[in-house]
Protein backbone atom coordinates (compact mmCIF):
# COMPACT_ATOMS: atom_id res chain seq x y z
CA UNK A 1 0.00 0.00 0.00
CA UNK A 2 1.27 3.46 -0.86
CA UNK A 3 0.53 7.04 0.19
CA UNK A 4 1.83 10.06 -1.72
CA UNK A 5 1.72 13.62 -0.47
CA UNK A 6 2.49 16.57 -2.76
CA UNK A 7 2.67 20.35 -2.58
CA UNK A 8 3.46 22.99 -5.15
CA UNK A 9 4.80 26.54 -5.14
CA UNK A 10 6.41 28.31 -2.22
CA UNK A 11 5.81 25.47 0.24
CA UNK A 12 7.49 22.83 -1.94
CA UNK A 13 11.08 23.45 -0.71
CA UNK A 14 9.87 23.21 2.90
CA UNK A 15 7.97 19.91 2.76
CA UNK A 16 10.98 17.73 3.55
CA UNK A 17 11.79 19.92 6.56
CA UNK A 18 8.22 19.61 7.84
CA UNK A 19 8.34 15.83 7.45
CA UNK A 20 11.84 15.53 8.96
CA UNK A 21 12.84 13.24 6.07
CA UNK A 22 15.71 14.14 3.75
CA UNK A 23 14.76 14.02 0.03
CA UNK A 24 18.24 12.94 -1.02
CA UNK A 25 17.99 9.40 0.29
CA UNK A 26 15.45 6.63 0.70
CA UNK A 27 14.76 5.54 4.26
CA UNK A 28 13.45 2.33 5.81
CA UNK A 29 11.61 1.90 9.09
CA UNK A 30 10.95 -1.44 10.76
CA UNK A 31 7.43 -1.47 12.18
CA UNK A 32 5.41 -4.10 13.99
CA UNK A 33 3.42 -4.78 10.80
CA UNK A 34 6.26 -4.75 8.27
CA UNK A 35 8.66 -2.28 6.68
CA UNK A 36 7.90 1.33 5.73
CA UNK A 37 9.87 3.03 2.95
CA UNK A 38 9.99 6.82 2.54
CA UNK A 39 11.30 8.36 -0.69
CA UNK A 40 10.72 11.40 -2.91
CA UNK A 41 9.57 10.64 -6.48
CA UNK A 42 9.61 14.36 -7.26
CA UNK A 43 11.50 17.31 -5.77
CA UNK A 44 12.47 20.10 -8.19
CA UNK A 45 11.81 23.23 -6.17
CA UNK A 46 8.40 23.80 -7.74
CA UNK A 47 6.78 20.47 -6.85
CA UNK A 48 7.66 18.15 -3.99
CA UNK A 49 6.14 14.69 -3.61
CA UNK A 50 6.90 12.27 -0.81
CA UNK A 51 5.82 8.63 -0.87
CA UNK A 52 5.26 6.26 2.03
CA UNK A 53 5.29 2.63 0.90
CA UNK A 54 4.30 0.01 3.46
CA UNK A 55 5.37 -3.57 2.88
CA UNK A 56 3.28 -5.82 5.11
CA UNK A 57 4.81 -9.14 6.11
CA UNK A 58 1.67 -11.21 5.60
CA UNK A 59 3.28 -14.51 6.62
CA UNK A 60 4.65 -13.08 9.87
CA UNK A 61 1.26 -11.61 10.68
CA UNK A 62 -0.44 -14.93 10.00
CA UNK A 63 1.93 -16.67 12.37
CA UNK A 64 1.64 -14.00 15.03
CA UNK A 65 -0.79 -14.62 17.87
CA UNK A 66 -1.06 -10.87 18.32
CA UNK A 67 -2.64 -10.31 14.91
CA UNK A 68 -4.18 -13.62 13.92
CA UNK A 69 -5.16 -15.71 16.91
CA UNK A 70 -8.85 -14.91 16.78
CA UNK A 71 -9.26 -15.36 13.03
CA UNK A 72 -10.21 -18.42 11.05
CA UNK A 73 -7.19 -20.29 9.74
CA UNK A 74 -7.71 -19.57 6.04
CA UNK A 75 -8.51 -15.88 6.49
CA UNK A 76 -5.25 -15.45 8.37
CA UNK A 77 -3.39 -16.21 5.14
CA UNK A 78 -5.83 -15.07 2.46
CA UNK A 79 -6.76 -11.42 3.05
CA UNK A 80 -6.15 -7.91 1.75
CA UNK A 81 -3.77 -6.77 4.50
CA UNK A 82 -0.76 -6.25 2.19
CA UNK A 83 -2.77 -4.26 -0.35
CA UNK A 84 -5.59 -2.25 1.26
CA UNK A 85 -4.96 1.14 2.89
CA UNK A 86 -6.34 0.41 6.35
CA UNK A 87 -5.29 0.73 9.98
CA UNK A 88 -1.83 -0.66 9.23
CA UNK A 89 -1.09 2.31 6.98
CA UNK A 90 -2.53 4.62 9.63
CA UNK A 91 -0.09 3.18 12.18
CA UNK A 92 2.79 3.64 9.73
CA UNK A 93 1.85 7.30 9.18
CA UNK A 94 1.70 7.89 12.93
CA UNK A 95 5.10 6.30 13.55
CA UNK A 96 7.08 7.49 10.54
CA UNK A 97 5.72 11.06 10.47
CA UNK A 98 5.27 11.47 14.23
CA UNK A 99 6.98 14.87 14.50
CA UNK A 100 5.17 16.25 11.47
CA UNK A 101 1.85 15.02 12.81
CA UNK A 102 2.50 16.89 16.06
CA UNK A 103 3.08 20.09 14.07
CA UNK A 104 6.70 20.46 15.21
CA UNK A 105 9.40 21.98 13.01
CA UNK A 106 12.32 23.87 14.52
CA UNK A 107 13.59 25.04 11.13
CA UNK A 108 10.20 25.95 9.59
CA UNK A 109 7.83 26.75 12.51
CA UNK A 110 5.80 29.31 10.55
CA UNK A 111 5.21 26.87 7.69
CA UNK A 112 4.21 24.08 10.09
CA UNK A 113 1.60 26.34 11.71
CA UNK A 114 0.08 27.55 8.43
CA UNK A 115 -2.10 25.79 5.85
CA UNK A 116 -0.36 24.65 2.68
CA UNK A 117 -1.79 23.36 -0.58
CA UNK A 118 -1.69 19.59 -0.37
CA UNK A 119 -2.59 16.73 -2.66
CA UNK A 120 -2.79 13.27 -1.11
CA UNK A 121 -3.31 10.05 -3.01
CA UNK A 122 -3.96 6.57 -1.62
CA UNK A 123 -4.56 3.23 -3.28
CA UNK A 124 -7.17 0.58 -2.45
CA UNK A 125 -9.11 2.50 0.17
CA UNK A 126 -12.35 0.85 1.43
CA UNK A 127 -15.25 3.22 0.75
CA UNK A 128 -18.83 2.02 1.17
CA UNK A 129 -21.25 3.83 -1.18
CA UNK A 130 -24.47 5.19 0.28
CA UNK A 131 -27.87 5.17 -1.41
CA UNK A 132 -26.81 7.93 -3.82
CA UNK A 133 -23.54 6.23 -4.74
CA UNK A 134 -21.39 8.64 -2.70
CA UNK A 135 -18.52 6.79 -1.07
CA UNK A 136 -17.86 6.88 2.65
CA UNK A 137 -14.43 8.43 2.00
CA UNK A 138 -16.13 11.47 0.49
CA UNK A 139 -18.59 11.71 3.38
CA UNK A 140 -15.71 11.59 5.86
CA UNK A 141 -13.16 13.92 4.25
CA UNK A 142 -15.35 16.48 2.44
CA UNK A 143 -16.71 18.06 5.67
CA UNK A 144 -13.08 18.74 6.66
CA UNK A 145 -12.60 20.99 3.63
CA UNK A 146 -11.03 18.49 1.26
CA UNK A 147 -11.86 18.25 -2.43
CA UNK A 148 -12.35 14.48 -2.67
CA UNK A 149 -12.04 12.35 -5.78
CA UNK A 150 -12.84 8.64 -5.64
CA UNK A 151 -11.97 6.33 -8.50
CA UNK A 152 -13.82 3.03 -8.16
CA UNK A 153 -12.65 0.37 -10.62
CA UNK A 154 -15.01 -2.38 -11.79
CA UNK A 155 -14.96 -5.54 -9.73
CA UNK A 156 -14.35 -7.50 -12.93
CA UNK A 157 -13.88 -5.85 -16.33
CA UNK A 158 -15.43 -8.88 -18.04
CA UNK A 159 -18.53 -8.83 -15.81
CA UNK A 160 -19.83 -5.24 -15.69
CA UNK A 161 -23.06 -6.42 -14.08
CA UNK A 162 -21.06 -7.15 -10.90
CA UNK A 163 -20.59 -3.41 -10.37
CA UNK A 164 -17.70 -1.59 -8.76
CA UNK A 165 -15.03 -2.83 -6.38
CA UNK A 166 -15.24 -2.33 -2.63
CA UNK A 167 -12.10 -0.16 -2.65
CA UNK A 168 -11.30 3.06 -4.43
CA UNK A 169 -8.34 5.11 -5.48
CA UNK A 170 -8.56 8.23 -3.33
CA UNK A 171 -7.27 11.73 -4.09
CA UNK A 172 -7.59 14.58 -1.59
CA UNK A 173 -6.86 18.22 -2.40
CA UNK A 174 -7.03 21.09 0.04
CA UNK A 175 -5.28 23.90 1.90
CA UNK A 176 -4.60 22.29 5.26
CA UNK A 177 -1.88 22.29 7.90
CA UNK A 178 0.32 19.27 7.35
CA UNK A 179 -0.07 18.06 10.93
CA UNK A 180 -3.86 18.30 10.69
CA UNK A 181 -3.88 16.33 7.44
CA UNK A 182 -1.78 13.51 8.90
CA UNK A 183 -3.91 13.31 12.06
CA UNK A 184 -7.09 13.13 10.00
CA UNK A 185 -5.64 10.27 7.95
CA UNK A 186 -4.65 8.27 11.03
CA UNK A 187 -8.18 8.60 12.44
CA UNK A 188 -10.23 8.08 9.29
CA UNK A 189 -8.39 5.26 7.50
CA UNK A 190 -9.38 2.70 10.18
CA UNK A 191 -12.92 4.14 10.12
CA UNK A 192 -13.18 3.40 6.40
CA UNK A 193 -12.16 -0.21 7.01
CA UNK A 194 -14.20 -0.50 10.23
CA UNK A 195 -11.38 -2.50 11.78
CA UNK A 196 -8.12 -2.12 13.63
CA UNK A 197 -5.45 -4.77 13.48
CA UNK A 198 -4.35 -4.10 17.05
CA UNK A 199 -5.97 -4.29 20.48
CA UNK A 200 -8.26 -1.34 21.22
CA UNK A 201 -8.16 -0.35 24.89
CA UNK A 202 -8.78 2.65 27.13
CA UNK A 203 -5.82 4.57 25.71
CA UNK A 204 -7.51 4.68 22.30
CA UNK A 205 -10.05 7.18 23.65
CA UNK A 206 -7.34 9.69 24.50
CA UNK A 207 -5.61 9.13 21.17
CA UNK A 208 -8.86 9.70 19.28
CA UNK A 209 -9.55 12.94 21.15
CA UNK A 210 -6.01 14.23 20.62
CA UNK A 211 -5.99 13.47 16.92
CA UNK A 212 -9.57 14.66 16.47
CA UNK A 213 -9.01 17.95 18.32
CA UNK A 214 -10.46 20.89 16.44
CA UNK A 215 -12.63 18.93 14.00
CA UNK A 216 -14.14 15.74 15.41
CA UNK A 217 -16.65 17.43 17.73
CA UNK A 218 -18.45 19.11 14.82
CA UNK A 219 -18.09 16.41 12.16
CA UNK A 220 -21.51 15.25 10.85
CA UNK A 221 -20.38 11.61 11.10
CA UNK A 222 -18.90 11.98 14.58
CA UNK A 223 -20.91 9.07 15.97
CA UNK A 224 -19.76 6.74 13.18
CA UNK A 225 -16.14 7.86 13.55
CA UNK A 226 -16.20 7.35 17.31
CA UNK A 227 -17.91 3.97 17.08
CA UNK A 228 -15.57 2.51 14.48
CA UNK A 229 -12.41 4.07 15.95
CA UNK A 230 -13.17 2.39 19.26
CA UNK A 231 -14.02 -0.99 17.72
CA UNK A 232 -17.71 -0.77 18.69
CA UNK A 233 -16.82 -1.09 22.41
CA UNK A 234 -19.79 0.53 24.11
CA UNK A 235 -18.02 1.67 27.26
CA UNK A 236 -15.19 3.33 25.34
CA UNK A 237 -17.71 5.02 23.03
CA UNK A 238 -19.62 6.36 26.03
CA UNK A 239 -16.38 7.69 27.51
CA UNK A 240 -15.33 9.42 24.29
CA UNK A 241 -18.78 10.89 23.67
CA UNK A 242 -18.98 12.27 27.20
CA UNK A 243 -15.57 13.90 26.89
CA UNK A 244 -16.32 15.36 23.47
CA UNK A 245 -19.67 16.69 24.65
CA UNK A 246 -18.09 18.21 27.76
CA UNK A 247 -15.65 20.15 25.58
CA UNK A 248 -18.25 21.41 23.09
CA UNK A 249 -19.52 24.49 24.98
CA UNK A 250 -15.95 25.64 25.58
CA UNK A 251 -15.13 25.16 21.92
CA UNK A 252 -18.12 27.08 20.59
CA UNK A 253 -18.68 29.92 23.06
CA UNK A 254 -15.16 31.14 23.86
CA UNK A 255 -14.50 34.78 23.13
CA UNK A 256 -11.50 35.74 21.04
CA UNK A 257 -8.31 37.03 22.61
CA UNK A 258 -6.69 40.21 21.28
CA UNK A 259 -4.53 38.29 18.80
CA UNK A 260 -7.60 36.54 17.39
CA UNK A 261 -6.97 33.17 18.99
CA UNK A 262 -9.69 31.67 21.21
CA UNK A 263 -9.55 32.87 24.78
CA UNK A 264 -7.88 30.32 27.02
CA UNK A 265 -5.68 28.93 24.23
CA UNK A 266 -1.96 29.70 23.95
CA UNK A 267 -1.27 33.01 22.20
CA UNK A 268 -0.87 32.48 18.51
CA UNK A 269 -2.55 29.05 18.50
CA UNK A 270 -4.89 28.92 15.49
CA UNK A 271 -8.57 28.53 16.29
CA UNK A 272 -9.39 24.86 16.37
CA UNK A 273 -5.73 23.89 16.65
CA UNK A 274 -4.71 20.94 18.81
CA UNK A 275 -3.22 23.34 21.39
CA UNK A 276 -6.41 25.38 21.56
CA UNK A 277 -8.63 22.30 21.74
CA UNK A 278 -6.44 20.77 24.42
CA UNK A 279 -6.68 23.98 26.48
CA UNK A 280 -10.46 23.93 26.14
CA UNK A 281 -10.66 20.31 27.23
CA UNK A 282 -8.36 20.99 30.18
CA UNK A 283 -10.49 23.96 31.28
CA UNK A 284 -13.70 21.92 31.21
CA UNK A 285 -14.23 19.30 33.92
CA UNK A 286 -14.55 15.91 32.25
CA UNK A 287 -17.33 13.76 33.69
CA UNK A 288 -16.23 10.31 34.79
CA UNK A 289 -17.74 7.80 32.33
CA UNK A 290 -20.28 5.35 33.66
CA UNK A 291 -18.16 2.24 33.07
CA UNK A 292 -15.40 3.65 35.28
CA UNK A 293 -17.87 4.65 38.00
CA UNK A 294 -19.30 1.13 37.83
CA UNK A 295 -15.86 -0.44 38.27
CA UNK A 296 -15.08 2.01 41.08
CA UNK A 297 -18.30 0.96 42.84
CA UNK A 298 -17.41 -2.72 42.50
CA UNK A 299 -13.92 -2.16 43.87
CA UNK A 300 -15.36 -0.19 46.79
CA UNK A 301 -17.72 -3.07 47.57
CA UNK A 302 -14.83 -5.56 47.46
CA UNK A 303 -12.83 -3.44 49.88
CA UNK A 304 -15.86 -3.14 52.17
CA UNK A 305 -15.98 -6.93 52.54
CA UNK A 306 -12.17 -7.18 52.79
CA UNK A 307 -11.97 -9.54 49.81
CA UNK A 308 -8.58 -11.01 48.92
CA UNK A 309 -9.54 -13.79 46.52
CA UNK A 310 -11.90 -12.70 43.74
CA UNK A 311 -13.46 -14.16 40.60
CA UNK A 312 -14.81 -11.87 37.88
CA UNK A 313 -17.42 -14.11 36.24
CA UNK A 314 -18.11 -13.04 32.66
CA UNK A 315 -14.89 -11.02 32.68
CA UNK A 316 -14.98 -10.20 28.97
CA UNK A 317 -11.85 -8.44 27.80
CA UNK A 318 -10.51 -8.05 31.36
CA UNK A 319 -11.11 -4.39 32.21
CA UNK A 320 -11.89 -5.13 35.86
CA UNK A 321 -9.16 -7.77 36.08
CA UNK A 322 -6.58 -5.15 35.10
CA UNK A 323 -7.63 -2.94 37.99
CA UNK A 324 -7.66 -5.83 40.45
CA UNK A 325 -4.14 -6.89 39.51
CA UNK A 326 -2.58 -3.50 40.22
CA UNK A 327 -3.77 -3.78 43.84
CA UNK A 328 -1.55 -6.16 45.78
CA UNK A 329 -4.29 -6.87 48.34
CA UNK A 330 -5.88 -9.27 45.84
CA UNK A 331 -3.81 -12.42 46.12
CA UNK A 332 -5.97 -14.48 43.74
CA UNK A 333 -7.71 -12.98 40.72
CA UNK A 334 -9.74 -15.28 38.47
CA UNK A 335 -11.44 -14.24 35.25
CA UNK A 336 -13.96 -16.53 33.59
CA UNK A 337 -15.81 -16.17 30.32
CA UNK A 338 -17.65 -18.53 28.02
CA UNK A 339 -15.93 -17.08 24.92
CA UNK A 340 -12.29 -18.08 24.24
CA UNK A 341 -11.85 -14.96 22.11
CA UNK A 342 -12.67 -12.72 25.09
CA UNK A 343 -10.15 -14.59 27.23
CA UNK A 344 -7.48 -14.09 24.56
CA UNK A 345 -8.23 -10.39 24.55
CA UNK A 346 -8.05 -10.31 28.33
CA UNK A 347 -4.66 -12.03 28.21
CA UNK A 348 -3.36 -9.39 25.79
CA UNK A 349 -4.84 -6.58 27.85
CA UNK A 350 -3.15 -7.88 31.01
CA UNK A 351 0.19 -8.35 29.14
CA UNK A 352 0.57 -11.76 30.73
CA UNK A 353 3.22 -12.75 28.19
CA UNK A 354 5.45 -10.02 29.68
CA UNK A 355 4.31 -10.34 33.32
CA UNK A 356 6.53 -11.38 36.18
CA UNK A 357 6.18 -14.84 37.69
CA UNK A 358 4.65 -13.28 40.81
CA UNK A 359 1.95 -11.52 38.81
CA UNK A 360 1.16 -14.58 36.72
CA UNK A 361 0.82 -16.65 39.89
CA UNK A 362 -1.97 -14.34 41.10
CA UNK A 363 -4.18 -14.54 38.00
CA UNK A 364 -6.08 -17.30 36.20
CA UNK A 365 -8.17 -17.03 33.02
CA UNK A 366 -10.71 -19.84 32.73
CA UNK A 367 -13.27 -20.75 30.09
CA UNK A 368 -16.50 -21.28 32.00
CA UNK A 369 -20.19 -20.46 31.92
CA UNK A 370 -22.03 -18.56 34.63
CA UNK A 371 -24.91 -21.02 34.38
CA UNK A 372 -22.78 -24.11 35.14
CA UNK A 373 -21.17 -25.01 38.46
CA UNK A 374 -17.39 -24.70 38.44
CA UNK A 375 -15.36 -25.94 41.41
CA UNK A 376 -12.44 -23.74 40.34
CA UNK A 377 -14.20 -20.64 41.68
CA UNK A 378 -15.64 -22.24 44.82
CA UNK A 379 -14.89 -20.91 48.30
CA UNK A 380 -13.51 -17.50 47.30
CA UNK A 381 -13.90 -14.29 49.25
CA UNK A 382 -15.97 -12.70 46.48
CA UNK A 383 -17.53 -13.32 43.09
CA UNK A 384 -18.32 -10.38 40.79
CA UNK A 385 -21.02 -10.39 38.12
CA UNK A 386 -20.60 -6.95 36.57
CA UNK A 387 -23.20 -6.36 33.85
CA UNK A 388 -23.66 -10.13 33.37
CA UNK A 389 -27.12 -11.19 34.57
CA UNK A 390 -28.94 -9.20 31.87
CA UNK A 391 -27.17 -11.29 29.20
CA UNK A 392 -28.69 -14.52 30.57
CA UNK A 393 -32.06 -15.79 29.35
CA UNK A 394 -34.62 -15.40 32.17
CA UNK A 395 -35.31 -19.13 32.24
CA UNK A 396 -31.59 -19.72 32.90
CA UNK A 397 -31.40 -17.41 35.94
CA UNK A 398 -32.04 -20.29 38.40
CA UNK A 399 -28.98 -22.03 36.97
CA UNK A 400 -26.92 -18.86 37.45
CA UNK A 401 -28.20 -18.60 41.01
CA UNK A 402 -27.29 -22.22 41.77
CA UNK A 403 -23.81 -22.01 40.26
CA UNK A 404 -22.84 -18.82 42.09
CA UNK A 405 -24.70 -18.81 45.39
CA UNK A 406 -25.00 -22.55 46.02
CA UNK A 407 -22.03 -24.25 44.33
CA UNK A 408 -19.36 -21.52 44.43
CA UNK A 409 -20.84 -20.02 47.61
CA UNK A 410 -18.41 -17.09 48.05
CA UNK A 411 -18.27 -15.09 51.25
CA UNK A 412 -19.61 -12.12 49.26
CA UNK A 413 -20.97 -11.41 45.80
CA UNK A 414 -21.26 -8.16 43.86
CA UNK A 415 -23.86 -7.91 41.09
CA UNK A 416 -24.42 -4.88 38.86
CA UNK A 417 -27.05 -4.48 36.17
CA UNK A 418 -28.66 -1.62 34.21
CA UNK A 419 -31.60 0.22 35.74
CA UNK A 420 -34.28 0.07 33.04
CA UNK A 421 -36.08 3.10 34.46
CA UNK A 422 -33.06 5.29 33.67
CA UNK A 423 -33.14 4.46 29.96
CA UNK A 424 -35.36 7.48 29.24
CA UNK A 425 -32.40 9.71 30.11
CA UNK A 426 -30.33 8.35 27.19
CA UNK A 427 -31.20 10.65 24.29
CA UNK A 428 -30.01 8.30 21.56
CA UNK A 429 -31.76 5.18 22.93
CA UNK A 430 -35.13 4.59 21.20
CA UNK A 431 -38.06 3.97 23.49
CA UNK A 432 -38.51 0.30 24.33
CA UNK A 433 -34.96 -0.62 23.27
CA UNK A 434 -32.38 -2.23 25.54
CA UNK A 435 -28.97 -0.63 26.01
CA UNK A 436 -27.22 -3.51 24.27
CA UNK A 437 -28.40 -5.82 21.54
CA UNK A 438 -27.38 -8.90 23.56
CA UNK A 439 -29.42 -7.99 26.65
CA UNK A 440 -32.18 -10.51 27.32
CA UNK A 441 -33.95 -8.18 29.76
CA UNK A 442 -33.35 -5.05 31.81
CA UNK A 443 -34.76 -4.77 35.34
CA UNK A 444 -36.39 -1.86 37.08
CA UNK A 445 -35.18 -1.12 40.59
CA UNK A 446 -38.12 -2.99 42.11
CA UNK A 447 -37.56 -6.03 39.90
CA UNK A 448 -33.85 -6.19 40.77
CA UNK A 449 -34.57 -5.85 44.48
CA UNK A 450 -37.16 -8.60 44.31
CA UNK A 451 -34.79 -11.01 42.56
CA UNK A 452 -31.74 -10.24 44.70
CA UNK A 453 -33.64 -10.37 47.99
CA UNK A 454 -35.17 -13.74 47.11
CA UNK A 455 -31.75 -15.12 46.13
CA UNK A 456 -30.27 -13.91 49.40
CA UNK A 457 -33.09 -15.45 51.43
CA UNK A 458 -32.74 -18.81 49.67
CA UNK A 459 -28.98 -19.07 50.12
CA UNK A 460 -28.25 -17.27 53.38
CA UNK A 461 -27.04 -13.83 52.25
CA UNK A 462 -27.97 -10.34 53.37
CA UNK A 463 -28.27 -7.86 50.51
CA UNK A 464 -27.33 -4.18 50.38
CA UNK A 465 -28.37 -2.08 47.37
CA UNK A 466 -26.23 0.80 46.13
CA UNK A 467 -26.70 3.30 43.28
CA UNK A 468 -23.99 3.61 40.62
CA UNK A 469 -23.81 6.90 38.78
CA UNK A 470 -25.91 10.00 39.42
CA UNK A 471 -29.03 9.02 41.34
CA UNK A 472 -31.81 10.73 39.40
CA UNK A 473 -34.65 11.69 41.77
CA UNK A 474 -37.26 10.48 39.27
CA UNK A 475 -35.78 7.42 37.55
CA UNK A 476 -32.88 6.45 39.79
CA UNK A 477 -29.24 5.77 38.86
CA UNK A 478 -28.15 4.38 35.48
CA UNK A 479 -26.71 1.25 37.13
CA UNK A 480 -27.81 -0.62 40.23
CA UNK A 481 -25.55 -2.70 42.48
CA UNK A 482 -26.36 -5.44 44.99
CA UNK A 483 -23.75 -6.45 47.57
CA UNK A 484 -24.44 -9.93 48.98
CA UNK A 485 -22.84 -10.88 52.31
CA UNK A 486 -23.06 -14.49 53.45
CA UNK A 487 -24.53 -15.01 56.91
CA UNK A 488 -22.86 -17.24 59.48
CA UNK A 489 -25.53 -19.90 59.23
CA UNK A 490 -26.16 -21.48 55.83
CA UNK A 491 -29.77 -22.25 54.89
CA UNK A 492 -31.03 -25.80 55.03
CA UNK A 493 -31.05 -27.90 51.87
CA UNK A 494 -34.84 -27.56 51.77
CA UNK A 495 -34.60 -23.77 51.96
CA UNK A 496 -31.97 -23.72 49.18
CA UNK A 497 -34.21 -25.80 46.97
Amino acid sequence: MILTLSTRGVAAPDLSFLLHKHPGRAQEFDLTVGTAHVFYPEDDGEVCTVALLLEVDAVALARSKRYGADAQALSRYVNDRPYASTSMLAVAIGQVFRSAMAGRSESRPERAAAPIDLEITLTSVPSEPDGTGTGLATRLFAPLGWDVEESRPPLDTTRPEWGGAATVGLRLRGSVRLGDALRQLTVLLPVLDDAKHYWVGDDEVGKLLRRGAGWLHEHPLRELITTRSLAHQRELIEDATARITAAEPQETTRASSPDGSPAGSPAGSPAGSPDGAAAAAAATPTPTPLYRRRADAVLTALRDVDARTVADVGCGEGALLARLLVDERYTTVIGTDVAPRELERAERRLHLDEASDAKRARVQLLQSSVTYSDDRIAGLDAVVLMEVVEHVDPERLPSLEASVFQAARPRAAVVTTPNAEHNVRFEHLPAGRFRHQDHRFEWTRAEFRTWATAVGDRHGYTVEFRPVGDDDPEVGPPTQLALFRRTAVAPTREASA
Side-chain angles (χ1 to χ4, degrees):
M1 60 192 80
I2 188 168
L3 159 77
T4 65
L5 193 153
S6 302
T7 188
R8 298 174 180 271
V10 294
D14 298 328
L15 183 61
S16 62
F17 291 92
L18 300 182
L19 293 170
H20 301 266
K21 300 293 181 290
H22 196 284
R25 59 190 179 92
Q27 293 179 267
E28 290 187 3
F29 301 87
D30 290 329
L31 308 177
T32 56
V33 297
T35 304
H37 304 267
V38 177
F39 54 95
Y40 288 77
E42 192 173 20
D43 181 30
D44 59 10
E46 293 296 324
V47 181
C48 184
T49 299
V50 64
L52 170 62
L53 174 68
L54 178 61
E55 286 187 298
V56 173
D57 190 340
V59 174
L61 288 178
R63 293 173 176 170
S64 169
K65 181 178 180 181
R66 179 178 182 184
Y67 298 116
D70 60 355
Q72 296 297 322
L74 182 60
S75 64
R76 289 168 60 182
Y77 289 89
V78 183
N79 53 60
D80 62 358
R81 283 175 170 172
Y83 317 109
S85 298
T86 57
S87 64
M88 293 187 183
L89 181 59
V91 168
I93 294 170
Q95 293 184 7
V96 174
F97 295 140
R98 180 178 299 140
S99 297
M101 193 167 68
R104 295 194 301 267
S105 177
E106 294 182 3
S107 59
R108 302 292 192 276
E110 299 85 2
R111 186 69 73 194
I116 61 176
D117 292 333
L118 292 173
E119 179 175 312
I120 299 173
T121 63
L122 300 106
T123 58
S124 298
V125 179
S127 183
E128 309 161 23
D130 63 8
T132 66
T134 303
L136 180 57
T138 298
R139 306 198 302 276
L140 288 173
F141 284 99
L144 301 177
W146 292 100
D147 177 20
V148 185
E149 178 184 333
E150 295 188 38
S151 175
R152 189 180 303 275
L155 188 61
D156 189 326
T157 56
T158 65
R159 303 296 297 269
E161 67 274 15
W162 287 2
T167 60
V168 301
L170 184 64
R171 187 184 304 273
L172 308 173
R173 298 186 181 92
S175 182
V176 185
R177 281 182 298 221
L178 178 62
D180 291 344
L182 295 174
R183 283 190 294 274
Q184 291 166 10
L185 287 171
T186 59
V187 171
L188 297 180
L189 284 177
V191 172
L192 286 165
D193 189 42
D194 194 16
K196 286 188 174 180
H197 66 276
Y198 55 87
W199 167 249
V200 175
D202 293 348
D203 58 337
E204 285 293 298
V205 175
K207 185 168 72 174
L208 173 64
L209 297 183
R210 290 192 300 273
R211 294 182 177 181
W215 60 270
L216 178 57
H217 71 282
E218 59 186 13
H219 197 290
L221 297 183
R222 183 181 77 184
E223 184 175 349
L224 175 71
I225 294 169
T226 304
T227 298
R228 291 190 172 191
S229 294
L230 300 174
H232 299 265
Q233 296 188 39
R234 177 175 56 86
E235 293 180 339
L236 299 183
I237 295 166
E238 289 176 356
D239 186 5
T241 301
R243 292 166 67 177
I244 293 170
T245 302
E248 280 180 347
Q250 191 76 6
E251 293 278 350
T252 57
T253 61
R254 290 177 296 174
S256 295
S257 60
D259 69 349
S261 62
S265 63
S269 295
S273 70
D275 289 339
T284 305
T286 301
T288 303
L290 179 58
Y291 77 90
R292 288 185 181 169
R293 299 178 74 172
R294 184 186 302 125
D296 289 343
V298 169
L299 293 172
T300 297
L302 292 175
R303 288 192 292 269
D304 288 347
V305 297
D306 195 28
R308 305 289 173 169
T309 58
V310 180
D312 181 11
V313 176
C315 66
E317 62 204 27
L320 182 64
L321 298 177
R323 297 190 61 176
L324 291 170
L325 279 176
V326 299
D327 192 334
E328 294 294 335
R329 84 178 71 203
Y330 299 110
T331 57
T332 298
V333 176
I334 300 174
T336 75
D337 202 281
V338 72
R341 179 178 298 184
E342 292 298 290
L343 295 174
E344 290 172 358
R345 290 173 174 171
E347 183 177 1
R348 292 197 296 270
R349 184 183 193 128
L350 300 176
H351 302 290
L352 294 184
D353 57 334
E354 305 168 359
S356 65
D357 291 342
K359 182 177 180 180
R360 290 184 63 89
R362 292 170 55 215
V363 62
Q364 299 179 58
L365 297 178
L366 308 174
Q367 185 179 5
S368 184
S369 171
V370 70
T371 58
Y372 292 93
S373 299
D374 191 334
D375 292 340
R376 295 175 294 179
I377 63 169
L380 300 176
D381 290 339
V383 167
V384 175
L385 288 87
M386 189 170 70
E387 307 298 283
V388 170
V389 293
E390 64 273 9
H391 293 271
V392 178
D393 290 320
E395 61 270 21
R396 299 286 292 165
L397 287 176
S399 298
L400 177 150
E401 176 185 336
S403 70
V404 173
F405 295 94
Q406 183 173 315
R409 194 161 177 74
R411 184 164 54 81
V414 184
V415 179
T416 75
T417 191
N419 169 22
E421 298 165 81
H422 196 92
N423 288 353
V424 295
R425 297 293 189 252
F426 295 108
E427 296 180 359
H428 301 294
L429 186 65
R433 290 277 298 277
F434 293 153
R435 297 186 199 177
H436 191 278
Q437 61 183 4
D438 190 53
H439 286 184
R440 302 308 199 253
F441 61 86
E442 289 179 0
W443 276 324
T444 64
R445 286 169 290 175
E447 289 169 334
F448 182 48
R449 285 174 177 266
T450 298
W451 176 82
T453 301
V455 168
D457 290 344
R458 284 192 289 267
H459 299 282
Y461 287 82
T462 61
V463 189
E464 176 189 350
F465 298 94
R466 300 179 179 183
V468 179
D470 296 333
D471 197 352
D472 189 292
E474 295 180 1
V475 297
T479 297
Q480 43 194 340
L481 180 149
L483 173 57
F484 296 78
R485 291 183 174 94
R486 194 178 67 202
T487 58
V489 178
T492 64
R493 181 177 298 275
E494 290 75 11
S496 298

